[in-house]
PDB file of all heavy atoms in Angstrom:
ATOM      1  N   ASP A  71     107.619  87.733  86.080  1.00  0.00           N
ATOM      2  CA  ASP A  71     109.030  87.519  86.436  1.00  0.00           C
ATOM      3  C   ASP A  71     109.346  88.120  87.802  1.00  0.00           C
ATOM      4  O   ASP A  71     109.999  87.495  88.638  1.00  0.00           O
ATOM      5  CB  ASP A  71     109.964  88.135  85.383  1.00  0.00           C
ATOM      6  CG  ASP A  71     109.973  87.355  84.080  1.00  0.00           C
ATOM      7  OD1 ASP A  71     109.628  86.147  84.093  1.00  0.00           O
ATOM      8  OD2 ASP A  71     110.316  87.938  83.034  1.00  0.00           O
ATOM      9  N   ASN A  72     108.871  89.352  88.015  1.00  0.00           N
ATOM     10  CA  ASN A  72     109.119  90.014  89.300  1.00  0.00           C
ATOM     11  C   ASN A  72     108.409  89.285  90.432  1.00  0.00           C
ATOM     12  O   ASN A  72     108.983  89.062  91.499  1.00  0.00           O
ATOM     13  CB  ASN A  72     108.655  91.477  89.252  1.00  0.00           C
ATOM     14  CG  ASN A  72     109.474  92.304  88.274  1.00  0.00           C
ATOM     15  OD1 ASN A  72     110.611  91.985  87.974  1.00  0.00           O
ATOM     16  ND2 ASN A  72     108.880  93.362  87.774  1.00  0.00           N
ATOM     17  N   ALA A  73     107.148  88.927  90.221  1.00  0.00           N
ATOM     18  CA  ALA A  73     106.371  88.242  91.256  1.00  0.00           C
ATOM     19  C   ALA A  73     107.014  86.901  91.616  1.00  0.00           C
ATOM     20  O   ALA A  73     107.090  86.549  92.799  1.00  0.00           O
ATOM     21  CB  ALA A  73     104.923  88.045  90.798  1.00  0.00           C
ATOM     22  N   ASN A  74     107.483  86.164  90.620  1.00  0.00           N
ATOM     23  CA  ASN A  74     108.122  84.874  90.891  1.00  0.00           C
ATOM     24  C   ASN A  74     109.418  85.043  91.688  1.00  0.00           C
ATOM     25  O   ASN A  74     109.710  84.247  92.585  1.00  0.00           O
ATOM     26  CB  ASN A  74     108.398  84.121  89.589  1.00  0.00           C
ATOM     27  CG  ASN A  74     107.138  83.540  89.002  1.00  0.00           C
ATOM     28  OD1 ASN A  74     106.203  83.189  89.710  1.00  0.00           O
ATOM     29  ND2 ASN A  74     107.094  83.447  87.683  1.00  0.00           N
ATOM     30  N   LYS A  75     110.181  86.089  91.376  1.00  0.00           N
ATOM     31  CA  LYS A  75     111.422  86.342  92.127  1.00  0.00           C
ATOM     32  C   LYS A  75     111.101  86.691  93.575  1.00  0.00           C
ATOM     33  O   LYS A  75     111.770  86.234  94.497  1.00  0.00           O
ATOM     34  CB  LYS A  75     112.225  87.467  91.463  1.00  0.00           C
ATOM     35  CG  LYS A  75     112.909  87.027  90.191  1.00  0.00           C
ATOM     36  CD  LYS A  75     113.640  88.174  89.522  1.00  0.00           C
ATOM     37  CE  LYS A  75     114.180  87.714  88.167  1.00  0.00           C
ATOM     38  NZ  LYS A  75     114.648  88.829  87.350  1.00  0.00           N
ATOM     39  N   VAL A  76     110.082  87.521  93.787  1.00  0.00           N
ATOM     40  CA  VAL A  76     109.698  87.901  95.140  1.00  0.00           C
ATOM     41  C   VAL A  76     109.207  86.670  95.907  1.00  0.00           C
ATOM     42  O   VAL A  76     109.630  86.426  97.036  1.00  0.00           O
ATOM     43  CB  VAL A  76     108.629  89.024  95.124  1.00  0.00           C
ATOM     44  CG1 VAL A  76     108.014  89.227  96.507  1.00  0.00           C
ATOM     45  CG2 VAL A  76     109.232  90.326  94.607  1.00  0.00           C
ATOM     46  N   LEU A  77     108.347  85.871  95.281  1.00  0.00           N
ATOM     47  CA  LEU A  77     107.845  84.669  95.944  1.00  0.00           C
ATOM     48  C   LEU A  77     108.991  83.725  96.281  1.00  0.00           C
ATOM     49  O   LEU A  77     109.041  83.144  97.370  1.00  0.00           O
ATOM     50  CB  LEU A  77     106.788  83.961  95.094  1.00  0.00           C
ATOM     51  CG  LEU A  77     106.143  82.730  95.734  1.00  0.00           C
ATOM     52  CD1 LEU A  77     105.468  83.082  97.059  1.00  0.00           C
ATOM     53  CD2 LEU A  77     105.145  82.093  94.786  1.00  0.00           C
ATOM     54  N   GLY A  78     109.931  83.593  95.375  1.00  0.00           N
ATOM     55  CA  GLY A  78     111.096  82.746  95.628  1.00  0.00           C
ATOM     56  C   GLY A  78     111.909  83.238  96.814  1.00  0.00           C
ATOM     57  O   GLY A  78     112.389  82.448  97.630  1.00  0.00           O
ATOM     58  N   ALA A  79     112.035  84.567  96.941  1.00  0.00           N
ATOM     59  CA  ALA A  79     112.802  85.143  98.048  1.00  0.00           C
ATOM     60  C   ALA A  79     112.056  85.024  99.375  1.00  0.00           C
ATOM     61  O   ALA A  79     112.670  85.021 100.435  1.00  0.00           O
ATOM     62  CB  ALA A  79     113.118  86.613  97.758  1.00  0.00           C
ATOM     63  N   LEU A  80     110.731  84.922  99.311  1.00  0.00           N
ATOM     64  CA  LEU A  80     109.923  84.797 100.527  1.00  0.00           C
ATOM     65  C   LEU A  80     109.803  83.353 101.003  1.00  0.00           C
ATOM     66  O   LEU A  80     109.384  83.106 102.125  1.00  0.00           O
ATOM     67  CB  LEU A  80     108.507  85.342 100.271  1.00  0.00           C
ATOM     68  CG  LEU A  80     108.383  86.845 100.077  1.00  0.00           C
ATOM     69  CD1 LEU A  80     107.030  87.188  99.476  1.00  0.00           C
ATOM     70  CD2 LEU A  80     108.584  87.565 101.394  1.00  0.00           C
ATOM     71  N   SER A  81     110.140  82.414 100.124  1.00  0.00           N
ATOM     72  CA  SER A  81     109.940  80.989 100.400  1.00  0.00           C
ATOM     73  C   SER A  81     111.204  80.351 100.966  1.00  0.00           C
ATOM     74  O   SER A  81     112.305  80.663 100.533  1.00  0.00           O
ATOM     75  CB  SER A  81     109.559  80.265  99.104  1.00  0.00           C
ATOM     76  OG  SER A  81     108.396  80.836  98.545  1.00  0.00           O
ATOM     77  N   PRO A  82     111.029  79.432 101.923  1.00  0.00           N
ATOM     78  CA  PRO A  82     112.202  78.716 102.443  1.00  0.00           C
ATOM     79  C   PRO A  82     112.782  77.792 101.365  1.00  0.00           C
ATOM     80  O   PRO A  82     112.070  77.336 100.482  1.00  0.00           O
ATOM     81  CB  PRO A  82     111.647  77.914 103.615  1.00  0.00           C
ATOM     82  CG  PRO A  82     110.178  77.911 103.477  1.00  0.00           C
ATOM     83  CD  PRO A  82     109.795  79.030 102.562  1.00  0.00           C
TER      84      PRO A  82
END
Side-chain angles (χ1 to χ4, degrees):
D71 288 337
N72 294 335
N74 285 330
K75 286 177 186 168
V76 168
L77 183 58
L80 291 165
S81 302

